[in-house]
Amino acid sequence: MSEVLVLGIDYGTDSCRVAALDARTGKTAGEAVAAYPRWAAGLYCSPSENIFRQHPLDYLESLEAGMRGLSAALEAKGCGAKGLEAVAGIAFATTGSTPCLVDSRGMPLAMSAEFAQDPDGMFVLWKDHSAIAEAEEINRLSRSWGGEDFTKFSGGSYSPEWFWAKALHLVRANPRVGSAFHSILEHCDWMPLLLTETPLAMAKRSRCVAGHKAMWHERFGGFPSKSFLGFLDPRLAEARDTLGSGTFTADQVFGLLSPVWASRLGLKPGIPVAVGAIDAHIGAVGSGAGPGVLVKVMGTSTCDMIVAPKEGGGERLVQGICGQVDGSILPGMLGYEAGQSAFGDAYAWFKNLLSWPIEAILPEAEGVKEKIDASIMNVLGEEAGKIDPERSSVLALDWLNGRRTPDLAPFLKGALVGLTLGATAPMIFRALVEATAYGTRAIVERFEAQGVAIQGILALGGVARKSPLVMQIVADVLGRPIGIVGSDQTVALGAAMFAAVAAGVYPDIGQAQKALKPSIEHIVQPNPARGVVYDRLYAEYLELGRYAESLEARRP
Amino acid sequence: MSEVLVLGIDYGTDSCRVAALDARTGKTAGEAVAAYPRWAAGLYCSPSENIFRQHPLDYLESLEAGMRGLSAALEAKGCGAKGLEAVAGIAFATTGSTPCLVDSRGMPLAMSAEFAQDPDGMFVLWKDHSAIAEAEEINRLSRSWGGEDFTKFSGGSYSPEWFWAKALHLVRANPRVGSAFHSILEHCDWMPLLLTETPLAMAKRSRCVAGHKAMWHERFGGFPSKSFLGFLDPRLAEARDTLGSGTFTADQVFGLLSPVWASRLGLKPGIPVAVGAIDAHIGAVGSGAGPGVLVKVMGTSTCDMIVAPKEGGGERLVQGICGQVDGSILPGMLGYEAGQSAFGDAYAWFKNLLSWPIEAILPEAEGVKEKIDASIMNVLGEEAGKIDPERSSVLALDWLNGRRTPDLAPFLKGALVGLTLGATAPMIFRALVEATAYGTRAIVERFEAQGVAIQGILALGGVARKSPLVMQIVADVLGRPIGIVGSDQTVALGAAMFAAVAAGVYPDIGQAQKALKPSIEHIVQPNPARGVVYDRLYAEYLELGRYAESLEARRP
């Protein structure tokens, strides 16, 4: 076995995926997935209240199970345990912002006996909405306190899904964890800290997650100032001292794998572990993102990322997007992030709506639900594909989960207008697809209006590869070609690229991308005639959006 | 058998109902229904184009079949053929405007061999939309020709569903019928003409249908002037000469039953046949309508009627309703008509939408469609009833079939706004119900704003008696009690009342109503707390309506 392997570890919402790649060819030597056992059992969550917590042991157990699975996969190929010995570097991608209150060693409170069952001592998953009031407070304070507006690199608005809002909520809502915690760690920071047994004070915190989720910026001298945080809660001000002032891009080495963890995972001790980062950004790199390329991760929601060179060392502020961070995607470049808060989720909502009669009236009917489930999206797509958008009067607004970008407004809602007695399910489905495409166009137009040119678009994720109708409509609405990335595992692949840089196989991430990036599966070309129609309908969509904003503004 | 019977004959959209009532007690002696055979087979119609024609033979055959059924029903009660001999008067209620091109004897062209299969020689059913362009032309001409605006008693807008638009369409679209026809008869005028064998020139045309559907008004000297009609088509101007200038209320005798028809129907010859009228107006009388009482016939759509005394002989013009006609409902009073073009149809649309997966994916699954059909509306209603309108963000607009009143606008469309990923089928259903209630309120407010006071509300029709949730929401939105009329057959009952007046049993229709009107089944009381909430939501509905109007105005 003369090959050099690198390990990309991708912590998703439900499971941990470990993938070992040949560092020179990018070929997958083996991979394995392990679910989070407590999460799968529904523990520590309340979906109806949008409370989602994950126990740190879920991360550890799934990592160990994943490594056992990987070892078995390599063995099946005839490499056996020796395969893991060829691993020369590790990198982590995790969801984010997924922070946790930790003790002075950087251990999540839930790892102690006292807080083992306390959801407030666990990781607060990216989609947890406990902190809506706290995010509003941060936004108000930021605009009114007289000092720096710390939201300015976060699109002008701080989200309840992010680091400080969640930490503030935890320490206020739960005085016991509020007095027991010492610091706060994101999931992508905890993993390398743990595996390298690095003291907390020397942790190399991720630039990507700190910049996008915790308002870290060089111009601020790091995280928001102690006095600002003190207005929110003195405990946050104190915690700031534990965060350090520097942050690091994912091509840096966090530390070396400790002997204990090497043995637990079957790896060689002392191999480099890279600085962590958020899955979507790592996935953008894994897709081959370069300057001027918009990478759209299209699933239940979208994450839209683009990198742009800094101009004369300066940083252009783009209003109304989620955030912009130097080096969050590609080191040395500005990384911008935007997104649509409901994409595939809007289609799933309609599917669920149409499935209501079966659920409510015939929940026990044998095979009916299964048969509908198995084909409803395909049949809807087929029928919707036959509809001429000029002949359908139905127009939708895609904000069923609020609007993330442009211009964060979580309380906005979706709409369907132009309904007639002849409006059919496929017409409404098509209108929803068109609406999500209009939402994409609004983001693209915002970037370009603010001087971030978009030269190409890459799409990945479940929707991109599985829904040709959706992709064609998005291309038609944008009037631009879209390259579909030929891999379902761009996050693990991106992590492996960073692991390869950490291992010294490549001098920088650009070289790693060149060698390892996946092919473009195919290019969806826009239909210019449809584009003319959609230009008109897009104007109606914008008008509908203005109406929906005015409606929401007047509600009590 | 000393009883005196009167015969109410109700021609609906699908069938003819004959009901024999005891003229003194109002007790039903017997009734029967017969479907239109050609209509049931789908002949002469094209639903996707909104073309709906009915063959005159359908009316005759269903009448004869109905009379045979009635005879059998009476016989079953021990009255036998003698029962029919006790019939002392007949009155017809039909749909309208349902006109037909007729020859010089008043015979529909389709009764001749030449036109027996030509849909343009048949009755053009009320809901036929062939004449959209012609209605627009009539409206344009009426506003621009420099003479009288003949639409002024029709709410300021002439509908494609009405007499002149349909006649204009037929004579233009089909030159053969255009040159063969002599006059135009509404269904409710043809029936008494035929049964009494009255010469066309002596026909007593219905005030109700002429006033509401053909712009007849005393102040105009009758129908619109020859010069006005000549601008549309010289053949209409000629036809005007065949219409006479007078019109008659339904308490008048049209003529006496001819011996031939008496024998065909099993009745005594020479009994009086009343002047005809439109079913909804007859039904309002049959419900017990009096001055200041809004009668709402609530089914797939609504027909809202109210009578008001003339003020000092004058006539107040109400803008934006369907029409106002002296004597169209109660002789001697102004009859106003308004309506919502989709009421139950809006709910049926949603039911069909939810049934799409079954239809599209499992059309053959045994019993599934039937089970869903049997309970979906009940379960939707039950679940919707549990929803607090203040906690649901979903708001609907009920114009899925355009807006009839206030302010006719057939091209407006429905909407659903405030949609979230948590919006469920019952929430949307409730929003649709609330929207139809807001539509009702808009009509009530228009009447009152224009000086027609509404002192009470009576509801009848399928929705009124079968949907307590809908009726409660309508009462809450209006903030007024609603009396539910305790009869499903108010049209036949109203016709029987007019037959009783024609037969001389009562001196006038008021006396007939007093003796024969059905009881109020129960009164739905408004919930004042809900009313406060709905006042706010109604304002949002009006705003949504303004947006939908502006959207439609900008569409090409």
Side-chain angles (χ1 to χ4, degrees):
Chain A
M1 302 278 311
S2 72
E3 65 182 352
V4 175
L5 297 184
V6 283
L7 207 58
I9 300 179
D10 167 16
Y11 277 104
T13 294
D14 304 315
S15 60
C16 172
R17 171 181 299 270
V18 296
L21 263 70
D22 183 310
R24 292 195 192 91
T25 65
K27 259 189 67 180
T28 302
E31 57 181 337
V33 180
Y36 306 150
R38 294 162 191 78
W39 171 262
L43 299 182
Y44 315 124
C45 295
S46 173
S48 68
E49 299 170 277
N50 280 314
I51 296 177
F52 299 100
R53 307 296 166 85
Q54 291 188 328
H55 201 291
L57 285 175
D58 265 0
Y59 299 151
L60 302 188
E61 290 169 16
S62 61
L63 175 61
E64 291 181 305
M67 290 302 293
R68 283 194 300 275
L70 175 62
S71 176
L74 294 175
E75 194 158 2
K77 286 197 178 173
C79 313
K82 276 186 198 154
L84 288 183
E85 275 172 34
V87 171
I90 307 177
F92 288 95
T94 74
T95 66
S97 170
T98 301
C100 189
L101 300 184
V102 299
D103 65 18
S104 59
R105 294 171 308 133
M107 275 295 151
L109 295 186
M111 293 291 279
S112 71
E114 186 185 352
F115 295 106
Q117 300 301 323
D118 190 335
D120 295 334
M122 301 176 190
F123 286 90
V124 184
L125 192 65
W126 63 275
K127 66 177 178 177
D128 183 291
H129 278 194
S130 310
I132 287 178
E134 289 80 2
E136 279 181 29
E137 187 177 337
I138 290 170
N139 282 312
R140 264 199 313 275
L141 181 68
S142 211
R143 268 172 275 205
S144 64
W145 78 305
E148 182 77 76
D149 178 357
F150 290 109
T151 69
K152 74 183 197 188
F153 299 106
S154 303
S157 185
Y158 200 72
S159 162
E161 294 186 356
W162 294 348
F163 187 90
W164 291 113
K166 285 173 168 174
L168 181 57
H169 176 77
L170 294 178
V171 301
R172 276 193 188 155
N174 189 330
R176 283 178 58 242
V177 305
S179 62
F181 90 107
H182 171 75
S183 186
I184 314 156
L185 274 176
E186 283 279 353
H187 185 194
C188 70
D189 291 331
W190 184 55
M191 296 316 305
L193 180 93
L194 182 76
L195 268 65
T196 60
E197 296 184 26
T198 301
L200 180 63
M202 295 175 64
K204 289 187 175 163
R205 288 175 186 261
S206 160
R207 165 76 54 84
C208 172
V209 73
H212 280 293
K213 312 298 184 188
M215 300 189 282
W216 184 95
H217 198 280
E218 223 168 2
R219 286 202 219 158
F220 301 152
F223 293 97
S225 66
K226 253 185 115 159
S227 52
F228 175 81
L229 295 172
F231 279 116
L232 295 170
D233 195 293
R235 291 167 292 187
L236 293 193
E238 274 175 58
R240 187 191 187 278
D241 291 336
T242 69
L243 304 183
S245 60
T247 54
F248 299 83
T249 51
D251 57 343
Q252 304 294 305
V253 174
F254 189 104
L256 305 179
L257 185 65
S258 80
V260 169
W261 277 99
S263 138
R264 281 180 74 167
L265 301 176
L267 295 166
K268 273 193 308 193
I271 58 173
V273 179
V275 168
I278 300 176
D279 48 8
H281 299 76
I282 297 268
V285 173
S287 309
V293 178
L294 178 72
V295 178
K296 244 185 117 59
V297 186
M298 303 168 82
T300 53
S301 60
T302 76
C303 183
D304 300 358
M305 290 156 291
I306 186 163
V307 293
K310 287 179 275 188
E311 292 173 356
E315 178 166 349
R316 184 193 299 276
L317 266 181
V318 175
Q319 288 303 312
I321 60 160
C322 290
Q324 57 191 78
V325 175
D326 181 6
S328 67
I329 299 170
L330 289 179
M333 299 220 185
L334 287 175
Y336 295 93
E337 184 193 329
Q340 293 173 257
S341 46
F343 202 89
D345 266 352
Y347 318 152
W349 167 78
F350 189 57
K351 168 183 179 277
N352 290 340
L353 182 72
L354 294 182
S355 303
W356 179 87
I358 302 289
E359 304 275 359
I361 297 167
L362 291 177
E364 310 294 335
E366 204 167 327
V368 171
K369 185 176 159 18
E370 290 70 19
K371 279 183 201 149
I372 301 268
D373 269 356
S375 54
I376 185 168
M377 295 311 281
N378 286 342
V379 182
L380 270 178
E382 251 170 58
E383 295 301 315
K386 298 176 192 163
I387 292 168
D388 176 353
E390 260 189 308
R391 302 194 64 169
S392 166
S393 59
V394 186
L395 175 71
L397 190 60
D398 55 322
W399 302 336
L400 284 94
N401 195 22
R403 184 179 61 198
R404 193 173 296 154
T405 53
D407 301 320
L408 181 71
F411 296 107
L412 289 177
K413 298 185 177 65
L416 287 166
V417 303
L419 297 173
T420 67
L421 292 180
T424 62
M427 282 164 71
I428 293 175
F429 178 67
R430 185 174 182 112
L432 288 168
V433 171
E434 290 168 346
T436 52
Y438 301 143
T440 297
R441 176 162 166 174
I443 291 172
V444 165
E445 293 195 345
R446 173 61 60 91
F447 273 123
E448 296 219 308
Q450 308 244 337
V452 179
I454 292 175
Q455 276 115 26
I457 301 178
L458 289 178
L460 60 148
V463 171
R465 298 189 79 191
K466 286 184 211 149
S467 304
L469 174 73
V470 174
M471 296 315 299
Q472 186 62 54
I473 290 175
V474 174
D476 292 347
V477 165
L478 295 177
R480 299 169 187 250
I482 301 175
I484 308 296
V485 177
S487 166
D488 285 333
Q489 304 305 338
T490 51
V491 179
L493 178 56
M497 289 176 186
F498 282 112
V501 174
V505 180
Y506 300 102
D508 58 42
I509 191 69
Q511 297 295 319
Q513 279 186 303
K514 200 171 288 176
L516 305 178
K517 75 178 176 190
S519 59
I520 300 300
E521 198 168 70
H522 73 279
I523 293 174
V524 183
Q525 293 293 349
N527 172 336
R530 277 284 157 85
V532 173
V533 175
Y534 281 133
D535 282 348
R536 179 172 65 74
L537 295 175
Y538 177 65
E540 288 188 7
Y541 165 87
L542 294 177
E543 177 69 23
L544 174 56
R546 284 188 286 272
Y547 159 75
E549 287 185 281
S550 75
L551 173 69
E552 205 56 37
R554 274 178 291 100
R555 286 198 167 173
Chain B
M1 301 279 314
S2 72
E3 65 182 350
V4 176
L5 296 184
V6 284
L7 207 56
I9 300 179
D10 167 17
Y11 278 104
T13 294
D14 304 314
S15 59
C16 172
R17 171 181 298 271
V18 296
L21 263 68
D22 183 309
R24 292 197 193 89
T25 66
K27 258 187 67 179
T28 301
E31 56 182 337
V33 180
Y36 307 150
R38 293 162 192 77
W39 170 260
L43 300 181
Y44 315 123
C45 296
S46 172
S48 68
E49 299 170 278
N50 280 314
I51 296 177
F52 299 100
R53 308 297 166 85
Q54 291 189 328
H55 201 291
L57 285 176
D58 265 1
Y59 298 151
L60 302 188
E61 291 168 16
S62 61
L63 176 61
E64 290 180 306
M67 289 303 292
R68 284 193 299 275
L70 176 61
S71 175
L74 293 174
E75 193 158 0
K77 285 197 177 172
C79 313
K82 276 186 198 150
L84 288 183
E85 276 170 35
V87 171
I90 307 178
F92 288 96
T94 73
T95 67
S97 170
T98 300
C100 189
L101 301 183
V102 299
D103 66 17
S104 58
R105 293 170 309 134
M107 275 297 151
L109 294 187
M111 294 291 279
S112 71
E114 186 185 353
F115 296 106
Q117 300 302 322
D118 190 336
D120 295 334
M122 302 176 189
F123 286 90
V124 184
L125 191 66
W126 64 277
K127 66 177 176 176
D128 183 291
H129 277 194
S130 311
I132 287 177
E134 289 80 3
E136 279 182 28
E137 186 177 337
I138 291 170
N139 282 311
R140 264 198 314 275
L141 181 68
S142 211
R143 267 169 262 175
S144 65
W145 78 305
E148 182 77 76
D149 178 356
F150 289 110
T151 68
K152 75 185 200 187
F153 298 107
S154 302
S157 185
Y158 199 72
S159 162
E161 293 185 356
W162 294 348
F163 187 88
W164 291 113
K166 285 173 167 173
L168 181 56
H169 176 77
L170 293 179
V171 301
R172 277 195 189 155
N174 189 330
R176 283 178 57 242
V177 305
S179 62
F181 90 107
H182 172 76
S183 185
I184 315 156
L185 275 176
E186 283 279 355
H187 185 193
C188 70
D189 291 330
W190 183 55
M191 296 316 304
L193 180 94
L194 182 76
L195 267 65
T196 58
E197 296 184 25
T198 301
L200 180 65
M202 296 174 65
K204 289 187 176 162
R205 288 174 185 261
S206 159
R207 166 76 55 84
C208 173
V209 74
H212 280 293
K213 311 299 184 188
M215 299 189 283
W216 183 96
H217 199 281
E218 224 167 2
R219 287 204 219 155
F220 301 151
F223 292 97
S225 66
K226 254 186 116 158
S227 53
F228 176 81
L229 294 173
F231 279 115
L232 295 170
D233 195 294
R235 290 166 293 187
L236 292 194
E238 272 176 56
R240 187 192 188 278
D241 291 336
T242 68
L243 303 183
S245 61
T247 55
F248 300 83
T249 53
D251 57 342
Q252 304 294 306
V253 174
F254 189 104
L256 305 180
L257 186 66
S258 80
V260 170
W261 278 99
S263 137
R264 281 180 75 166
L265 302 177
L267 295 166
K268 273 195 308 195
I271 59 174
V273 179
V275 168
I278 300 176
D279 48 9
H281 299 77
I282 297 266
V285 174
S287 309
V293 178
L294 177 71
V295 179
K296 243 185 118 59
V297 186
M298 303 169 83
T300 54
S301 60
T302 77
C303 183
D304 300 359
M305 291 157 291
I306 186 163
V307 292
K310 287 179 276 189
E311 291 173 357
E315 178 167 348
R316 183 192 299 277
L317 266 182
V318 175
Q319 287 302 313
I321 60 161
C322 289
Q324 57 189 77
V325 174
D326 182 5
S328 66
I329 299 170
L330 289 178
M333 300 224 186
L334 286 175
Y336 294 92
E337 184 193 331
Q340 294 172 257
S341 45
F343 202 89
D345 266 352
Y347 318 151
W349 167 78
F350 189 57
K351 169 181 178 280
N352 290 340
L353 183 72
L354 293 182
S355 303
W356 179 87
I358 302 290
E359 304 275 359
I361 298 167
L362 292 176
E364 309 295 334
E366 204 167 328
V368 171
K369 185 176 159 19
E370 291 69 19
K371 278 184 201 149
I372 301 270
D373 270 355
S375 54
I376 185 168
M377 295 312 281
N378 286 342
V379 182
L380 270 178
E382 251 170 58
E383 295 300 315
K386 297 176 192 163
I387 292 168
D388 176 351
E390 260 189 308
R391 302 195 62 168
S392 166
S393 59
V394 186
L395 175 71
L397 190 61
D398 55 323
W399 303 335
L400 284 94
N401 195 21
R403 184 179 62 198
R404 193 173 297 154
T405 52
D407 301 319
L408 181 70
F411 296 107
L412 289 177
K413 299 184 176 64
L416 287 165
V417 303
L419 297 173
T420 67
L421 292 180
T424 62
M427 283 165 70
I428 293 176
F429 179 66
R430 185 173 182 113
L432 287 169
V433 171
E434 289 167 347
T436 52
Y438 301 143
T440 298
R441 177 161 165 175
I443 291 171
V444 165
E445 293 195 345
R446 173 62 59 94
F447 273 124
E448 297 219 308
Q450 308 244 338
V452 179
I454 293 175
Q455 275 115 28
I457 300 178
L458 289 178
L460 59 147
V463 171
R465 298 188 80 190
K466 286 183 211 151
S467 303
L469 174 72
V470 174
M471 296 315 299
Q472 187 61 55
I473 290 176
V474 174
D476 292 347
V477 166
L478 294 178
R480 299 169 185 250
I482 301 174
I484 309 296
V485 177
S487 166
D488 286 333
Q489 304 306 339
T490 51
V491 179
L493 178 57
M497 289 176 185
F498 282 112
V501 175
V505 180
Y506 299 102
D508 59 43
I509 191 68
Q511 297 296 317
Q513 279 186 302
K514 200 171 286 177
L516 306 178
K517 75 177 175 191
S519 58
I520 300 300
E521 199 168 69
H522 72 279
I523 293 173
V524 183
Q525 294 292 349
N527 172 336
R530 276 285 156 84
V532 173
V533 175
Y534 281 134
D535 282 348
R536 179 173 65 74
L537 294 175
Y538 176 65
E540 289 189 6
Y541 165 87
L542 294 177
E543 177 69 23
L544 174 56
R546 283 188 288 271
Y547 159 75
E549 287 185 282
S550 75
L551 174 69
E552 206 56 37
R554 274 178 292 103
R555 284 196 169 174

